[in-house]
Amino acid sequence: MVLVKKYTKDFKSNKSMSPHKLRHTYGTNLMEQSGDIHLLRTQLGHTLTTTAALYTNPEQEKAKKAAKLLGERRTNYLEKD
């Protein structure tokens, strides 16, 4: 905990930092970037893939894709004018 405070004290954020939050953020970002559940399992030291699957969020991924499609449709619509 001391190391987390030491290395995050320069961040200008109202959010609190904890080792758990940093670990979870790392796991979530690794899964989003790589899509590799086995890499995630190894990196976080889990023995079961189902435990590592807690870092995946298919609903969030669907929302991101939907927002991207809406943005593309809007851009295409505006370019027609």
Side-chain angles (χ1 to χ4, degrees), residues 15-45:
K15 295 181 180 181
S16 63
M17 295 285 194
S18 70
H20 174 76
K21 184 168 182 124
L22 291 174
R23 177 184 165 87
H24 189 78
T25 300
Y26 171 75
T28 302
N29 289 336
L30 180 62
M31 189 61 199
E32 285 178 359
Q33 295 297 315
S34 71
D36 187 343
I37 192 81
H38 298 289
L39 172 64
L40 178 67
R41 181 183 59 81
T42 302
Q43 287 292 303
L44 295 180

